[in-house]
Amino acid sequence: MPKAYWVSAYRAVNDSDKLAAYAKLAGPALTANGARFLARGEPSKVYELGLMQRTVLIEFDSVEQAIAAHDSPEYQAALAALGDGADREIRIIEGV
C-alpha cells in the first residue's frame, strides 16, 4: 500500500495566537494518529509561480490513515482552536 502525504500551504496567518493554540493541539493529535512530520516552515526557495508561504509536509502509512487523522476528534478540536487564524489549504495525496 502506498504511503500518503499531507501538504498544508498557508496563504496567510491572521492571528498568531490562534495558530499557536492550533499547533499545540494539532501536532500531538496527528502524531497519535500515525503522522510523521517531514518538513515545516518557510520555503528555502520558490520557482515559477511559487509563493513564500509556510508549508507543512506530513507522511502517513495510507490515504485512509491521513483522512482518519484529519477527521479525528482531537484534530477537529485543533481546527476549532485555529478558527479564522489562518488562510490555508490541506491536500492529501497518495505516494507513488
Side-chain angles (χ1 to χ4, degrees):
M1 179 180 300
K3 293 188 185 278
Y5 298 89
W6 169 319
V7 181
S8 298
Y10 287 73
R11 293 186 183 109
V13 174
N14 305 320
D15 186 323
S16 58
D17 291 336
K18 287 182 179 181
L19 182 59
Y22 162 81
K24 185 176 180 180
L25 298 172
L30 293 173
T31 301
N33 282 283
R36 292 176 296 283
F37 286 83
L38 302 180
R40 64 178 153 219
E42 296 288 325
S44 299
K45 177 75 176 158
V46 296
Y47 292 97
E48 299 175 23
L49 296 176
L51 301 173
M52 283 299 255
Q53 57 187 201
R54 178 176 175 76
T55 305
V56 180
L57 176 62
I58 306 169
E59 182 181 64
F60 289 89
D61 289 335
S62 67
V63 167
E64 293 77 16
Q65 186 183 44
I67 292 169
H70 179 275
D71 295 345
S72 72
E74 299 84 5
Y75 187 71
Q76 292 302 304
L79 287 177
L82 177 61
D84 63 355
D87 297 331
R88 66 185 188 142
E89 67 175 274
I90 296 173
R91 296 178 184 194
I92 295 173
I93 57 173
E94 186 173 74
V96 293

